[in-house]
Amino acid sequence: MADGISSFWGPVTSTTEWCEKNYAHSSYIAEFFNTISNVPTILLALIGLVNALRQRFEKRFSVLHVSNMILAFGSMLFHATLQHVQQQSDETPMVWEMLLYLYILYSPTWHYRSTMPTFLFLYGVTFAVAHSVFRFSIGFKLHYVLLCLLCIPRMYKYYIYTENILAKRLAKLYAATLFIGTLCWLGDRLYCSDISSWPINPQGHALWHILMGFNSYFANTFLMYCRAQQWGWDPKIVNFLGFLPYVKIEKPKTQ
């Protein structure tokens, strides 16, 4: 806690803290930069959601964009309070989101349509209950990394079968933001004692949030492109405001 500023939320009860001084800017926000750095994720997910609804993509993509926003709101709540109850609102949606990515990535070639969503739903509920009771720490991180790794082979398969240069660039941006973001996360986590003595804290975890917001947007947009190709919707990558890529489709009149 910063000198001279009291805590509105009381003592920290979360199992994890990051390399940012608590309540340094406000008595209502424990980790200021780690809280506000979730805003780009919400805005990017909102743009993706509007595009998915406007062009009538499958509901799975609307749910995916909404899940990104829920995760960002949960992260804001957790970093603002550093309470264990709010920690669940950050970590549990992270797992649910990865389960949704697994469904979107693997369901097009899954022969038994009802089994995958049923299994993933039950798995997500079971994890949420177990995590609230046992308060996984290292186990949660390893579990989340495993789910991410399960997504990579199918993402790579989509990448190598994609011919559009702009779509392939989305996949490259996804990989780049994931790599750089992971370095920021690790640096903030492993070298906090050194960083704390620096004149300026680079806020590695806040940078992780921002990069993961763009990472999710690039991943979602790339998957929307690939799915539109599967449906024969003649997808194209165009730019919103001249720099933010999104998918534009041309559905056959029969659809």
Side-chain angles (χ1 to χ4, degrees):
M1 184 184 303
D3 296 337
I5 299 181
S6 62
S7 162
F8 177 82
W9 303 103
V12 171
T13 60
S14 66
T15 59
T16 302
E17 280 196 77
W18 302 96
C19 197
E20 181 179 356
K21 291 183 179 180
N22 296 347
Y23 300 101
H25 300 278
S26 170
S27 62
Y28 298 98
I29 302 177
E31 295 178 338
F32 181 79
F33 291 105
N34 287 347
T35 300
I36 64 170
S37 57
N38 286 283
V39 173
T41 301
I42 297 172
L43 296 177
L44 289 168
L46 181 60
I47 292 172
L49 176 61
V50 170
N51 185 41
L53 292 173
R54 184 173 60 86
Q55 299 195 85
R56 294 183 291 119
F57 272 87
E58 293 169 291
K59 291 182 180 179
R60 66 186 66 183
F61 291 105
S62 297
V63 174
L64 181 59
H65 290 299
V66 171
S67 75
N68 293 150
M69 285 190 276
I70 292 174
L71 174 57
F73 279 118
S75 180
M76 291 180 74
L77 187 61
F78 167 54
H79 286 289
T81 64
L82 290 181
Q83 300 297 299
H84 179 261
V85 173
Q86 280 73 35
Q87 186 173 355
Q88 306 304 308
S89 68
D90 177 30
E91 294 179 346
T92 298
M94 289 174 67
V95 170
W96 287 350
E97 183 182 59
M98 294 314 302
L99 295 176
L100 183 56
Y101 276 116
L102 286 172
Y103 171 70
I104 291 175
L105 283 165
Y106 288 96
S107 63
T109 56
W110 192 260
H111 297 293
Y112 306 98
R113 292 192 176 184
S114 62
T115 57
M116 178 177 282
T118 301
F119 170 77
L120 292 177
F121 173 78
L122 293 175
Y123 187 95
V125 171
T126 302
F127 171 82
V129 174
H131 192 26
S132 66
V133 173
F134 297 107
R135 301 190 178 193
F136 302 130
S137 180
I138 298 299
F140 160 75
K141 295 179 179 65
L142 293 175
H143 180 234
Y144 181 73
V145 169
L146 176 61
L147 293 177
C148 292
L149 292 175
L150 289 174
C151 292
I152 291 176
R154 184 53 62 97
M155 285 288 284
Y156 180 70
K157 181 179 179 180
Y158 282 178
Y159 172 79
I160 61 177
Y161 282 102
T162 298
E163 297 181 355
N164 184 281
I165 296 177
L166 295 178
K168 291 177 83 75
R169 184 180 298 170
L170 284 172
K172 292 177 181 178
L173 288 170
Y174 156 80
T177 50
L178 179 61
F179 177 73
I180 299 172
T182 300
L183 291 180
C184 292
W185 188 94
L186 288 172
D188 187 86
R189 194 74 183 147
L190 299 177
Y191 302 104
C192 183
S193 58
D194 296 324
I195 292 172
S196 298
S197 63
W198 294 359
I200 298 177
N201 186 334
Q203 304 298 342
H205 195 72
L207 291 174
W208 152 266
H209 285 161
I210 295 171
L211 288 166
M212 287 303 99
F214 280 96
N215 176 266
S216 297
Y217 181 83
F218 294 141
N220 297 355
T221 306
F222 178 70
L223 291 175
M224 290 170 72
Y225 178 90
C226 294
R227 188 58 174 163
Q229 269 199 325
Q230 292 171 354
W231 282 109
W233 290 345
D234 189 26
K236 295 179 177 61
I237 303 296
V238 295
N239 290 324
F240 175 67
L241 298 177
F243 72 95
L244 190 64
Y246 71 96
V247 182
K248 185 176 181 180
I249 59 176
E250 292 288 342
K251 288 185 178 182
K253 294 183 179 179
T254 55
Q255 298 185 30

